[in-house]
PDB file of all heavy atoms in Angstrom:
ATOM      1  N   SER A 418       8.695  -1.793  27.656  1.00 96.00           N
ATOM      2  CA  SER A 418       8.448  -2.497  26.405  1.00 96.00           C
ATOM      3  C   SER A 418       9.603  -2.390  25.421  1.00 96.00           C
ATOM      4  O   SER A 418      10.170  -1.315  25.196  1.00 96.00           O
ATOM      5  CB  SER A 418       7.179  -1.963  25.740  1.00 96.00           C
ATOM      6  OG  SER A 418       6.983  -2.571  24.476  1.00 96.00           O
ATOM      7  N   SER A 419       9.916  -3.519  24.807  1.00 95.00           N
ATOM      8  CA  SER A 419      10.944  -3.569  23.761  1.00 95.00           C
ATOM      9  C   SER A 419      10.343  -3.598  22.359  1.00 95.00           C
ATOM     10  O   SER A 419      11.080  -3.735  21.379  1.00 95.00           O
ATOM     11  CB  SER A 419      11.804  -4.821  23.949  1.00 95.00           C
ATOM     12  OG  SER A 419      11.014  -5.994  23.756  1.00 95.00           O
ATOM     13  N   ILE A 420       9.029  -3.470  22.235  1.00 97.00           N
ATOM     14  CA  ILE A 420       8.382  -3.571  20.933  1.00 97.00           C
ATOM     15  C   ILE A 420       8.743  -2.350  20.085  1.00 97.00           C
ATOM     16  O   ILE A 420       8.510  -1.208  20.489  1.00 97.00           O
ATOM     17  CB  ILE A 420       6.855  -3.696  21.074  1.00 97.00           C
ATOM     18  CG1 ILE A 420       6.508  -4.933  21.906  1.00 97.00           C
ATOM     19  CG2 ILE A 420       6.191  -3.761  19.701  1.00 97.00           C
ATOM     20  CD1 ILE A 420       5.025  -5.065  22.214  1.00 97.00           C
ATOM     21  N   ASN A 421       9.301  -2.595  18.918  1.00 96.00           N
ATOM     22  CA  ASN A 421       9.722  -1.505  18.034  1.00 96.00           C
ATOM     23  C   ASN A 421       8.520  -0.825  17.395  1.00 96.00           C
ATOM     24  O   ASN A 421       7.513  -1.462  17.077  1.00 96.00           O
ATOM     25  CB  ASN A 421      10.648  -2.035  16.943  1.00 96.00           C
ATOM     26  CG  ASN A 421      11.941  -2.595  17.495  1.00 96.00           C
ATOM     27  OD1 ASN A 421      12.388  -2.200  18.563  1.00 96.00           O
ATOM     28  ND2 ASN A 421      12.537  -3.525  16.772  1.00 96.00           N
ATOM     29  N   GLY A 422       8.646   0.482  17.179  1.00 97.00           N
ATOM     30  CA  GLY A 422       7.595   1.235  16.511  1.00 97.00           C
ATOM     31  C   GLY A 422       7.672   1.071  15.010  1.00 97.00           C
ATOM     32  O   GLY A 422       8.742   1.265  14.418  1.00 97.00           O
ATOM     33  N   GLN A 423       6.560   0.723  14.378  1.00 97.00           N
ATOM     34  CA  GLN A 423       6.515   0.555  12.928  1.00 97.00           C
ATOM     35  C   GLN A 423       6.275   1.911  12.265  1.00 97.00           C
ATOM     36  O   GLN A 423       5.189   2.472  12.340  1.00 97.00           O
ATOM     37  CB  GLN A 423       5.391  -0.416  12.539  1.00 97.00           C
ATOM     38  CG  GLN A 423       5.576  -1.836  13.034  1.00 97.00           C
ATOM     39  CD  GLN A 423       6.626  -2.606  12.233  1.00 97.00           C
ATOM     40  OE1 GLN A 423       7.346  -2.033  11.412  1.00 97.00           O
ATOM     41  NE2 GLN A 423       6.721  -3.903  12.461  1.00 97.00           N
ATOM     42  N   VAL A 424       7.308   2.449  11.622  1.00 98.00           N
ATOM     43  CA  VAL A 424       7.179   3.732  10.930  1.00 98.00           C
ATOM     44  C   VAL A 424       6.681   3.505   9.504  1.00 98.00           C
ATOM     45  O   VAL A 424       5.717   4.143   9.062  1.00 98.00           O
ATOM     46  CB  VAL A 424       8.522   4.482  10.923  1.00 98.00           C
ATOM     47  CG1 VAL A 424       8.388   5.830  10.208  1.00 98.00           C
ATOM     48  CG2 VAL A 424       9.010   4.703  12.355  1.00 98.00           C
ATOM     49  N   ILE A 425       7.333   2.639   8.769  1.00 98.00           N
ATOM     50  CA  ILE A 425       6.879   2.240   7.428  1.00 98.00           C
ATOM     51  C   ILE A 425       7.072   0.731   7.304  1.00 98.00           C
ATOM     52  O   ILE A 425       8.154   0.222   7.591  1.00 98.00           O
ATOM     53  CB  ILE A 425       7.658   2.938   6.295  1.00 98.00           C
ATOM     54  CG1 ILE A 425       7.647   4.454   6.474  1.00 98.00           C
ATOM     55  CG2 ILE A 425       7.064   2.585   4.925  1.00 98.00           C
ATOM     56  CD1 ILE A 425       8.466   5.196   5.414  1.00 98.00           C
ATOM     57  N   ARG A 426       6.046   0.032   6.884  1.00 98.00           N
ATOM     58  CA  ARG A 426       6.148  -1.407   6.654  1.00 98.00           C
ATOM     59  C   ARG A 426       5.543  -1.749   5.295  1.00 98.00           C
ATOM     60  O   ARG A 426       4.845  -0.935   4.675  1.00 98.00           O
ATOM     61  CB  ARG A 426       5.499  -2.202   7.784  1.00 98.00           C
ATOM     62  CG  ARG A 426       4.018  -1.916   8.034  1.00 98.00           C
ATOM     63  CD  ARG A 426       3.523  -2.712   9.236  1.00 98.00           C
ATOM     64  NE  ARG A 426       2.133  -2.483   9.564  1.00 98.00           N
ATOM     65  CZ  ARG A 426       1.096  -3.126   9.027  1.00 98.00           C
ATOM     66  NH1 ARG A 426       1.309  -4.039   8.069  1.00 98.00           N
ATOM     67  NH2 ARG A 426      -0.142  -2.865   9.394  1.00 98.00           N
ATOM     68  N   TYR A 427       5.820  -2.973   4.857  1.00 98.00           N
ATOM     69  CA  TYR A 427       5.477  -3.358   3.492  1.00 98.00           C
ATOM     70  C   TYR A 427       3.967  -3.356   3.248  1.00 98.00           C
ATOM     71  O   TYR A 427       3.513  -2.994   2.153  1.00 98.00           O
ATOM     72  CB  TYR A 427       6.072  -4.731   3.195  1.00 98.00           C
ATOM     73  CG  TYR A 427       6.042  -5.123   1.726  1.00 98.00           C
ATOM     74  CD1 TYR A 427       6.590  -4.297   0.755  1.00 98.00           C
ATOM     75  CD2 TYR A 427       5.492  -6.337   1.324  1.00 98.00           C
ATOM     76  CE1 TYR A 427       6.579  -4.664  -0.589  1.00 98.00           C
ATOM     77  CE2 TYR A 427       5.474  -6.710  -0.005  1.00 98.00           C
ATOM     78  CZ  TYR A 427       6.012  -5.870  -0.965  1.00 98.00           C
ATOM     79  OH  TYR A 427       5.998  -6.236  -2.278  1.00 98.00           O
ATOM     80  N   GLY A 428       3.182  -3.746   4.250  1.00 98.00           N
ATOM     81  CA  GLY A 428       1.734  -3.719   4.073  1.00 98.00           C
ATOM     82  C   GLY A 428       1.229  -2.320   3.767  1.00 98.00           C
ATOM     83  O   GLY A 428       0.337  -2.127   2.922  1.00 98.00           O
ATOM     84  N   ASP A 429       1.784  -1.332   4.429  1.00 98.00           N
ATOM     85  CA  ASP A 429       1.448   0.065   4.179  1.00 98.00           C
ATOM     86  C   ASP A 429       1.836   0.451   2.751  1.00 98.00           C
ATOM     87  O   ASP A 429       1.077   1.116   2.027  1.00 98.00           O
ATOM     88  CB  ASP A 429       2.177   0.935   5.204  1.00 98.00           C
ATOM     89  CG  ASP A 429       1.803   2.412   5.135  1.00 98.00           C
ATOM     90  OD1 ASP A 429       0.887   2.776   4.399  1.00 98.00           O
ATOM     91  OD2 ASP A 429       2.447   3.207   5.852  1.00 98.00           O
ATOM     92  N   VAL A 430       3.016   0.032   2.320  1.00 98.00           N
ATOM     93  CA  VAL A 430       3.491   0.341   0.966  1.00 98.00           C
ATOM     94  C   VAL A 430       2.542  -0.238  -0.086  1.00 98.00           C
ATOM     95  O   VAL A 430       2.198   0.441  -1.066  1.00 98.00           O
ATOM     96  CB  VAL A 430       4.917  -0.188   0.753  1.00 98.00           C
ATOM     97  CG1 VAL A 430       5.289  -0.224  -0.726  1.00 98.00           C
ATOM     98  CG2 VAL A 430       5.917   0.677   1.521  1.00 98.00           C
ATOM     99  N   LEU A 431       2.113  -1.481   0.099  1.00 98.00           N
ATOM    100  CA  LEU A 431       1.209  -2.099  -0.878  1.00 98.00           C
ATOM    101  C   LEU A 431      -0.107  -1.332  -0.977  1.00 98.00           C
ATOM    102  O   LEU A 431      -0.653  -1.152  -2.077  1.00 98.00           O
ATOM    103  CB  LEU A 431       0.940  -3.556  -0.498  1.00 98.00           C
ATOM    104  CG  LEU A 431       2.147  -4.508  -0.585  1.00 98.00           C
ATOM    105  CD1 LEU A 431       1.734  -5.916  -0.176  1.00 98.00           C
ATOM    106  CD2 LEU A 431       2.759  -4.520  -1.981  1.00 98.00           C
ATOM    107  N   LEU A 432      -0.620  -0.853   0.158  1.00 98.00           N
ATOM    108  CA  LEU A 432      -1.869  -0.096   0.123  1.00 98.00           C
ATOM    109  C   LEU A 432      -1.659   1.297  -0.472  1.00 98.00           C
ATOM    110  O   LEU A 432      -2.542   1.811  -1.171  1.00 98.00           O
ATOM    111  CB  LEU A 432      -2.463  -0.012   1.524  1.00 98.00           C
ATOM    112  CG  LEU A 432      -2.954  -1.347   2.103  1.00 98.00           C
ATOM    113  CD1 LEU A 432      -3.482  -1.157   3.515  1.00 98.00           C
ATOM    114  CD2 LEU A 432      -4.028  -1.979   1.212  1.00 98.00           C
ATOM    115  N   MET A 433      -0.524   1.919  -0.209  1.00 98.00           N
ATOM    116  CA  MET A 433      -0.240   3.205  -0.857  1.00 98.00           C
ATOM    117  C   MET A 433      -0.099   3.025  -2.363  1.00 98.00           C
ATOM    118  O   MET A 433      -0.578   3.869  -3.148  1.00 98.00           O
ATOM    119  CB  MET A 433       1.028   3.829  -0.268  1.00 98.00           C
ATOM    120  CG  MET A 433       0.872   4.368   1.141  1.00 98.00           C
ATOM    121  SD  MET A 433       2.253   5.411   1.688  1.00 98.00           S
ATOM    122  CE  MET A 433       3.560   4.196   1.869  1.00 98.00           C
ATOM    123  N   LEU A 434       0.524   1.933  -2.782  1.00 98.00           N
ATOM    124  CA  LEU A 434       0.656   1.659  -4.216  1.00 98.00           C
ATOM    125  C   LEU A 434      -0.711   1.438  -4.838  1.00 98.00           C
ATOM    126  O   LEU A 434      -1.004   1.961  -5.931  1.00 98.00           O
ATOM    127  CB  LEU A 434       1.556   0.439  -4.425  1.00 98.00           C
ATOM    128  CG  LEU A 434       1.816   0.001  -5.868  1.00 98.00           C
ATOM    129  CD1 LEU A 434       2.381   1.148  -6.708  1.00 98.00           C
ATOM    130  CD2 LEU A 434       2.764  -1.198  -5.893  1.00 98.00           C
ATOM    131  N   ALA A 435      -1.572   0.688  -4.161  1.00 98.00           N
ATOM    132  CA  ALA A 435      -2.940   0.488  -4.658  1.00 98.00           C
ATOM    133  C   ALA A 435      -3.660   1.819  -4.796  1.00 98.00           C
ATOM    134  O   ALA A 435      -4.351   2.078  -5.792  1.00 98.00           O
ATOM    135  CB  ALA A 435      -3.700  -0.440  -3.710  1.00 98.00           C
ATOM    136  N   GLU A 436      -3.494   2.683  -3.815  1.00 98.00           N
ATOM    137  CA  GLU A 436      -4.149   3.992  -3.876  1.00 98.00           C
ATOM    138  C   GLU A 436      -3.638   4.818  -5.052  1.00 98.00           C
ATOM    139  O   GLU A 436      -4.423   5.533  -5.703  1.00 98.00           O
ATOM    140  CB  GLU A 436      -3.924   4.760  -2.568  1.00 98.00           C
ATOM    141  CG  GLU A 436      -4.606   6.120  -2.562  1.00 98.00           C
ATOM    142  CD  GLU A 436      -4.428   6.882  -1.270  1.00 98.00           C
ATOM    143  OE1 GLU A 436      -3.947   6.307  -0.275  1.00 98.00           O
ATOM    144  OE2 GLU A 436      -4.773   8.092  -1.258  1.00 98.00           O
ATOM    145  N   SER A 437      -2.341   4.728  -5.334  1.00 98.00           N
ATOM    146  CA  SER A 437      -1.797   5.507  -6.443  1.00 98.00           C
ATOM    147  C   SER A 437      -2.434   5.105  -7.768  1.00 98.00           C
ATOM    148  O   SER A 437      -2.657   5.945  -8.652  1.00 98.00           O
ATOM    149  CB  SER A 437      -0.275   5.356  -6.506  1.00 98.00           C
ATOM    150  OG  SER A 437       0.117   4.069  -6.941  1.00 98.00           O
ATOM    151  N   TYR A 438      -2.729   3.829  -7.938  1.00 98.00           N
ATOM    152  CA  TYR A 438      -3.451   3.379  -9.132  1.00 98.00           C
ATOM    153  C   TYR A 438      -4.879   3.929  -9.149  1.00 98.00           C
ATOM    154  O   TYR A 438      -5.350   4.475 -10.169  1.00 98.00           O
ATOM    155  CB  TYR A 438      -3.515   1.850  -9.167  1.00 98.00           C
ATOM    156  CG  TYR A 438      -2.267   1.156  -9.648  1.00 98.00           C
ATOM    157  CD1 TYR A 438      -1.449   0.463  -8.751  1.00 98.00           C
ATOM    158  CD2 TYR A 438      -1.903   1.158 -10.993  1.00 98.00           C
ATOM    159  CE1 TYR A 438      -0.306  -0.196  -9.183  1.00 98.00           C
ATOM    160  CE2 TYR A 438      -0.759   0.501 -11.429  1.00 98.00           C
ATOM    161  CZ  TYR A 438       0.034  -0.174 -10.525  1.00 98.00           C
ATOM    162  OH  TYR A 438       1.167  -0.825 -10.954  1.00 98.00           O
ATOM    163  N   ILE A 439      -5.577   3.757  -8.037  1.00 98.00           N
ATOM    164  CA  ILE A 439      -6.986   4.158  -7.976  1.00 98.00           C
ATOM    165  C   ILE A 439      -7.137   5.656  -8.211  1.00 98.00           C
ATOM    166  O   ILE A 439      -8.046   6.104  -8.931  1.00 98.00           O
ATOM    167  CB  ILE A 439      -7.589   3.752  -6.621  1.00 98.00           C
ATOM    168  CG1 ILE A 439      -7.618   2.224  -6.483  1.00 98.00           C
ATOM    169  CG2 ILE A 439      -8.998   4.310  -6.460  1.00 98.00           C
ATOM    170  CD1 ILE A 439      -7.941   1.732  -5.085  1.00 98.00           C
ATOM    171  N   GLN A 440      -6.250   6.450  -7.620  1.00 98.00           N
ATOM    172  CA  GLN A 440      -6.349   7.906  -7.774  1.00 98.00           C
ATOM    173  C   GLN A 440      -6.114   8.351  -9.205  1.00 98.00           C
ATOM    174  O   GLN A 440      -6.503   9.460  -9.586  1.00 98.00           O
ATOM    175  CB  GLN A 440      -5.346   8.588  -6.839  1.00 98.00           C
ATOM    176  CG  GLN A 440      -5.620   8.389  -5.352  1.00 98.00           C
ATOM    177  CD  GLN A 440      -6.723   9.296  -4.824  1.00 98.00           C
ATOM    178  OE1 GLN A 440      -7.524   9.851  -5.587  1.00 98.00           O
ATOM    179  NE2 GLN A 440      -6.772   9.462  -3.518  1.00 98.00           N
ATOM    180  N   GLN A 441      -5.511   7.490 -10.020  1.00 98.00           N
ATOM    181  CA  GLN A 441      -5.325   7.792 -11.444  1.00 98.00           C
ATOM    182  C   GLN A 441      -6.476   7.248 -12.296  1.00 98.00           C
ATOM    183  O   GLN A 441      -6.412   7.298 -13.520  1.00 98.00           O
ATOM    184  CB  GLN A 441      -4.005   7.198 -11.941  1.00 98.00           C
ATOM    185  CG  GLN A 441      -2.771   7.818 -11.308  1.00 98.00           C
ATOM    186  CD  GLN A 441      -1.486   7.162 -11.799  1.00 98.00           C
ATOM    187  OE1 GLN A 441      -0.980   7.492 -12.879  1.00 98.00           O
ATOM    188  NE2 GLN A 441      -0.966   6.214 -11.028  1.00 98.00           N
ATOM    189  N   GLY A 442      -7.511   6.732 -11.645  1.00 98.00           N
ATOM    190  CA  GLY A 442      -8.663   6.218 -12.372  1.00 98.00           C
ATOM    191  C   GLY A 442      -8.595   4.748 -12.693  1.00 98.00           C
ATOM    192  O   GLY A 442      -9.472   4.212 -13.392  1.00 98.00           O
ATOM    193  N   ASN A 443      -7.598   4.048 -12.188  1.00 98.00           N
ATOM    194  CA  ASN A 443      -7.446   2.610 -12.435  1.00 98.00           C
ATOM    195  C   ASN A 443      -7.917   1.850 -11.201  1.00 98.00           C
ATOM    196  O   ASN A 443      -7.223   1.795 -10.184  1.00 98.00           O
ATOM    197  CB  ASN A 443      -5.986   2.284 -12.732  1.00 98.00           C
ATOM    198  CG  ASN A 443      -5.743   0.799 -12.969  1.00 98.00           C
ATOM    199  OD1 ASN A 443      -6.638  -0.034 -12.787  1.00 98.00           O
ATOM    200  ND2 ASN A 443      -4.531   0.449 -13.380  1.00 98.00           N
ATOM    201  N   SER A 444      -9.097   1.282 -11.272  1.00 98.00           N
ATOM    202  CA  SER A 444      -9.613   0.464 -10.165  1.00 98.00           C
ATOM    203  C   SER A 444      -9.683  -1.007 -10.573  1.00 98.00           C
ATOM    204  O   SER A 444     -10.489  -1.773 -10.058  1.00 98.00           O
ATOM    205  CB  SER A 444     -10.999   0.959  -9.727  1.00 98.00           C
ATOM    206  OG  SER A 444     -11.917   0.940 -10.817  1.00 98.00           O
ATOM    207  N   GLY A 445      -8.816  -1.393 -11.512  1.00 97.00           N
ATOM    208  CA  GLY A 445      -8.848  -2.736 -12.068  1.00 97.00           C
ATOM    209  C   GLY A 445      -7.920  -3.722 -11.401  1.00 97.00           C
ATOM    210  O   GLY A 445      -7.775  -3.759 -10.175  1.00 97.00           O
ATOM    211  N   ALA A 446      -7.236  -4.518 -12.212  1.00 98.00           N
ATOM    212  CA  ALA A 446      -6.499  -5.687 -11.732  1.00 98.00           C
ATOM    213  C   ALA A 446      -5.354  -5.330 -10.789  1.00 98.00           C
ATOM    214  O   ALA A 446      -5.123  -6.039  -9.801  1.00 98.00           O
ATOM    215  CB  ALA A 446      -5.965  -6.475 -12.924  1.00 98.00           C
ATOM    216  N   GLU A 447      -4.631  -4.257 -11.088  1.00 98.00           N
ATOM    217  CA  GLU A 447      -3.446  -3.950 -10.274  1.00 98.00           C
ATOM    218  C   GLU A 447      -3.795  -3.608  -8.824  1.00 98.00           C
ATOM    219  O   GLU A 447      -3.290  -4.254  -7.897  1.00 98.00           O
ATOM    220  CB  GLU A 447      -2.625  -2.815 -10.913  1.00 98.00           C
ATOM    221  CG  GLU A 447      -1.969  -3.190 -12.219  1.00 98.00           C
ATOM    222  CD  GLU A 447      -2.854  -2.896 -13.420  1.00 98.00           C
ATOM    223  OE1 GLU A 447      -4.075  -2.642 -13.229  1.00 98.00           O
ATOM    224  OE2 GLU A 447      -2.335  -2.913 -14.553  1.00 98.00           O
ATOM    225  N   PRO A 448      -4.667  -2.602  -8.586  1.00 98.00           N
ATOM    226  CA  PRO A 448      -4.990  -2.310  -7.181  1.00 98.00           C
ATOM    227  C   PRO A 448      -5.778  -3.439  -6.515  1.00 98.00           C
ATOM    228  O   PRO A 448      -5.630  -3.657  -5.309  1.00 98.00           O
ATOM    229  CB  PRO A 448      -5.803  -1.021  -7.257  1.00 98.00           C
ATOM    230  CG  PRO A 448      -6.340  -0.978  -8.652  1.00 98.00           C
ATOM    231  CD  PRO A 448      -5.302  -1.626  -9.495  1.00 98.00           C
ATOM    232  N   LEU A 449      -6.588  -4.155  -7.276  1.00 98.00           N
ATOM    233  CA  LEU A 449      -7.338  -5.288  -6.722  1.00 98.00           C
ATOM    234  C   LEU A 449      -6.375  -6.333  -6.166  1.00 98.00           C
ATOM    235  O   LEU A 449      -6.547  -6.835  -5.039  1.00 98.00           O
ATOM    236  CB  LEU A 449      -8.230  -5.902  -7.794  1.00 98.00           C
ATOM    237  CG  LEU A 449      -9.009  -7.165  -7.393  1.00 98.00           C
ATOM    238  CD1 LEU A 449     -10.022  -6.845  -6.316  1.00 98.00           C
ATOM    239  CD2 LEU A 449      -9.689  -7.785  -8.624  1.00 98.00           C
ATOM    240  N   ALA A 450      -5.340  -6.657  -6.935  1.00 98.00           N
ATOM    241  CA  ALA A 450      -4.381  -7.669  -6.494  1.00 98.00           C
ATOM    242  C   ALA A 450      -3.612  -7.205  -5.262  1.00 98.00           C
ATOM    243  O   ALA A 450      -3.337  -7.999  -4.343  1.00 98.00           O
ATOM    244  CB  ALA A 450      -3.409  -7.986  -7.632  1.00 98.00           C
ATOM    245  N   LEU A 451      -3.274  -5.934  -5.194  1.00 98.00           N
ATOM    246  CA  LEU A 451      -2.518  -5.412  -4.060  1.00 98.00           C
ATOM    247  C   LEU A 451      -3.345  -5.442  -2.779  1.00 98.00           C
ATOM    248  O   LEU A 451      -2.861  -5.845  -1.711  1.00 98.00           O
ATOM    249  CB  LEU A 451      -2.054  -3.982  -4.356  1.00 98.00           C
ATOM    250  CG  LEU A 451      -0.994  -3.843  -5.454  1.00 98.00           C
ATOM    251  CD1 LEU A 451      -0.898  -2.399  -5.924  1.00 98.00           C
ATOM    252  CD2 LEU A 451       0.369  -4.326  -4.947  1.00 98.00           C
TER     253      LEU A 451
END
């Protein structure tokens, strides 16, 4: 197989960013949009 292993991709980053908002008590527009 030549399929590359995904270590970090943008979809993961967007969900980690959403989590960073939620963990600070913000479950509003920013994490919802992400």
Side-chain angles (χ1 to χ4, degrees):
S418 176
S419 65
I420 301 174
N421 296 334
Q423 295 285 9
V424 180
I425 307 177
R426 59 183 179 86
Y427 192 54
D429 186 7
V430 165
L431 293 180
L432 293 178
M433 288 192 290
L434 180 55
E436 181 179 349
S437 71
Y438 281 108
I439 295 169
Q440 295 281 18
Q441 295 178 82
N443 179 353
S444 58
E447 292 90 346
L449 176 65
L451 292 164

